[in-house]
Amino acid sequence: MGGKCPHRKVKKRRLSHKTDRRSKFLIKGDDMVYDELNKPQEDRKPLPLDEDLPGMGQHYCLHCDRFFASVAVRDEHFKTKKHRRRVKQMMGDAPHTQLDADLAGGMGMPDNGPKLMSM
Amino acid sequence: MRLEKCWFCSSTVYPGHGIQFVRNDAKIFRFCRSKCHKNFKMKRNPRKVKWTKAYRRVHGKDMTQDSTFEFERKRNRPERYDRNLTEEVLKAIPKIAKIQVSRAESHHAIRMKGKKKKVQKEAAKEYEQSIHLLKAPSALLAPEKIKVAVSQQAEENRVMEE
């Protein structure tokens, strides 16, 4: 398996693209963002100081899951088309879930049996 | 044996088939084939992709409300093994499947009720609008009668020959 790619020169091989991909894994999925937005206001914790993030992780856009260097940059982001499209998307229906898939596939609601402990 | 449903297209995933993705928040996404997995990676919404069950359900293409859907469920509570019950269930499964198919057929028939009329109407409209592709516009008009003057001499010559 494997071997050297004929078109890949030494210069290119020096650059690893793994770090570029790493940030991709940290992006939240649509359903996670949606849940976060629909939480009551009290449950939201103040943003922790994180020196690895832009602006110490203090300027955050919930909809787009992005950190900004300052309030001005964040406010500029709020005006962008990308952000507004995202807000519109999040205002709509809840994202597709496994439960939706099950129901569409002809299954009933999950059966958890009778409640044993009366609350 | 637990039969899962595909996250994207809602088809049944049998053991040993498809691929499963576990996100870093421990949520599980099952896919029946690479087609569904690829569509998920492209961040497509199954409700907007026409070939998925989710689309068909949202847009009223398939039967949604039916008592036969109540049998197949995820049961999070273990059932004590009972031989008689198992036998009865195995007998009931094909019967239920049969009922479900017939109901789905009747649902389809009801949904397609006005279809024939609609098709004919559309065909008539298309005929009216694009008949010029088959025949030249002048050919469609009634042919004009052409008058030709017959000369006196020609008439006489014919008489002479006889």
Side-chain angles (χ1 to χ4, degrees):
Chain A
M1 282 294 280
K4 215 164 87 181
C5 175
H7 298 294
R8 206 165 150 166
K9 296 277 147 50
V10 178
K11 220 175 192 179
K12 271 187 189 169
R13 230 186 298 153
R14 268 186 225 140
L15 259 175
S16 164
H17 295 288
K18 203 169 188 181
T19 46
D20 298 345
R21 272 168 60 229
R22 194 162 294 150
S23 62
K24 194 181 151 194
F25 305 131
L26 298 174
I27 291 171
K28 277 185 193 166
D30 284 359
D31 50 332
M32 288 159 98
V33 173
Y34 188 85
D35 291 345
E36 198 73 22
L37 280 168
N38 286 29
K39 261 189 199 168
Q41 201 74 35
E42 304 90 59
D43 286 3
R44 278 182 207 160
K45 291 168 202 148
L47 295 160
L49 280 172
D50 187 347
E51 56 189 10
D52 291 334
L53 291 170
M56 300 291 273
Q58 293 302 295
H59 313 292
Y60 183 57
C61 172
L62 256 177
H63 295 89
C64 309
D65 185 31
R66 271 180 73 178
F67 288 97
F68 298 94
S70 67
V71 181
V73 181
R74 193 191 60 187
D75 288 351
E76 198 61 32
H77 161 75
F78 284 160
K79 282 181 210 156
T80 58
K81 201 173 219 173
K82 215 173 183 180
H83 174 77
R84 279 184 288 150
R85 198 176 287 157
R86 185 86 182 151
V87 170
K88 199 176 171 189
Q89 189 195 338
M90 286 297 145
M91 294 275 270
D93 293 340
H96 184 77
T97 58
Q98 184 65 49
L99 180 63
D100 292 339
D102 288 350
L103 292 179
M107 273 168 89
M109 289 297 277
D111 175 18
N112 295 325
K115 264 191 182 173
L116 296 177
M117 300 269 280
S118 56
M119 297 299 246
Chain B
M1 187 168 80
R2 187 163 261 198
L3 303 180
E4 308 280 358
K5 297 281 183 219
C6 172
W7 184 88
F8 199 83
C9 73
S10 306
S11 63
T12 311
V13 185
Y14 281 82
H17 288 253
I19 201 165
Q20 180 172 295
F21 166 56
V22 184
R23 207 165 56 183
N24 58 6
D25 67 337
K27 246 183 204 148
I28 296 171
F29 300 86
R30 278 191 191 79
F31 305 103
C32 60
R33 47 190 158 160
S34 63
K35 180 183 181 183
C36 294
H37 188 208
K38 279 175 195 159
N39 274 281
F40 171 77
K41 283 192 281 192
M42 283 192 270
K43 292 180 186 275
R44 285 207 181 131
N45 186 355
R47 284 185 202 136
K48 288 185 179 172
V49 180
K50 290 203 174 174
W51 50 268
T52 66
K53 279 277 174 193
Y55 176 93
R56 295 189 65 80
R57 191 182 148 93
V58 168
H59 293 81
K61 308 281 181 194
D62 281 341
M63 182 174 62
T64 48
Q65 302 261 316
D66 199 68
S67 53
T68 53
F69 292 150
E70 295 301 308
F71 295 106
E72 191 186 350
R73 301 175 156 197
K74 192 174 183 180
R75 280 167 225 280
N76 294 324
R77 172 175 278 269
E79 194 84 26
R80 190 178 286 278
Y81 178 70
D82 181 357
R83 191 171 173 165
N84 293 331
L85 181 72
T86 312
E87 240 162 56
E88 273 174 28
V89 167
L90 285 176
K91 251 185 240 167
I93 286 172
K95 267 185 201 168
I96 293 163
K98 215 173 170 184
I99 290 166
Q100 201 169 344
V101 166
S102 71
R103 283 187 187 172
E105 269 171 8
S106 72
H107 176 270
H108 183 259
I110 290 166
R111 194 161 74 79
M112 290 292 162
K113 223 174 179 181
K115 173 92 171 163
K116 204 174 174 186
K117 232 177 197 176
K118 199 183 155 204
V119 167
Q120 272 182 346
K121 212 175 167 185
E122 273 168 7
K125 199 180 173 191
E126 195 188 355
Y127 173 80
E128 195 91 327
Q129 281 178 347
S130 45
I131 185 68
H132 66 275
L133 295 172
L134 300 176
K135 287 178 184 171
S138 58
L140 290 175
L141 302 170
E144 274 178 49
K145 280 180 184 168
I146 303 163
K147 279 184 183 172
V148 178
V150 182
S151 62
Q152 201 74 31
Q153 266 194 336
E155 200 90 320
E156 275 172 16
N157 284 348
R158 208 185 288 162
V159 175
M160 292 285 276
E161 274 168 20
E162 283 171 3

